[in-house]
Amino acid sequence: MSLTLLDWRRRIFALYGEVRAADDPARAWQHWVDVRAELYRHHPQSPRAGGEPRYFPYDPAWRFEARIEEATPELIEIDGFPFTRFARARFGAAHALDVYWLETYGGGVFVPFLDGTGGVETYGAGRYVLDTVKGA
């Protein structure tokens, strides 16, 4: 069991490295979907046991660049895990997301958000981007 979990983590870590290094975002997204689908269908450590997640189609209109600004630190807890707000990602003048640091497991950047799909097409409590020491 431990060796298959190690293999799962190694393969996911490598996949995220490949995606970050890719020159073509659309092709990188498709590679990410394809590799994950294969792992979710066949890997013994699959968290979905024979199934795979559904994805929205790739749309370059939903890629954004943000300016990162310092923010007043604020400690929050999510499911028993402590996070400290340390920055805001600003998208133009009207939109911003808080950026948190995961205070456990070697740390990591956490950006939660809620959009119009919440509770309808995606999980109701929202979605997030997480980059931890695991490189995911």
Side-chain angles (χ1 to χ4, degrees), residues 28-43:
W29 176 85
Q30 189 61 58
H31 176 65
W32 182 79
V33 168
D34 293 344
V35 171
R36 283 176 51 102
E38 180 65 23
L39 285 169
Y40 276 72
R41 276 194 299 265
H42 301 293
H43 198 280

Side-chain angles (χ1 to χ4, degrees), residues 14-32 63:
L15 173 61
Y16 277 78
E18 292 164 8
V19 168
R20 281 192 293 267
D23 293 332
D24 181 339
R27 220 180 256 152
W29 176 85
Q30 189 61 58
H31 176 65
W32 182 79
R63 293 189 73 216

Side-chain angles (χ1 to χ4, degrees), residues 27-113:
R27 220 180 256 152
W29 176 85
Q30 189 61 58
H31 176 65
W32 182 79
V33 168
D34 293 344
V35 171
R36 283 176 51 102
E38 180 65 23
L39 285 169
Y40 276 72
R41 276 194 299 265
H42 301 293
H43 198 280
Q45 286 291 331
S46 173
R48 290 197 169 266
E52 62 188 81
R54 294 178 300 132
Y55 303 97
F56 291 102
Y58 178 79
D59 184 347
W62 289 103
R63 293 189 73 216
F64 301 95
E65 287 191 20
R67 186 177 73 250
I68 305 297
E69 308 170 338
E70 282 190 61
T72 303
E74 177 186 338
L75 182 65
I76 65 169
E77 194 170 290
I78 301 172
D79 290 335
F81 295 97
F83 294 86
T84 301
R85 181 181 64 192
F86 70 95
R88 298 198 91 203
R90 187 157 306 279
F91 306 87
H95 304 285
L97 294 171
D98 286 329
V99 181
Y100 295 88
W101 182 257
L102 173 61
E103 297 292 347
T104 58
Y105 297 115
V109 176
F110 175 71
V111 183
F113 61 96

Side-chain angles (χ1 to χ4, degrees), residues 1-17 20 35 39 43-47 105-106 132-136:
M1 170 106 49
S2 294
L3 289 178
T4 60
L5 180 56
L6 179 63
D7 180 65
W8 171 271
R9 291 180 62 168
R10 181 191 58 78
R11 291 165 100 181
I12 292 293
F13 185 85
L15 173 61
Y16 277 78
R20 281 192 293 267
V35 171
L39 285 169
H43 198 280
Q45 286 291 331
S46 173
Y105 297 115
T132 68
V133 71
K134 297 175 189 174

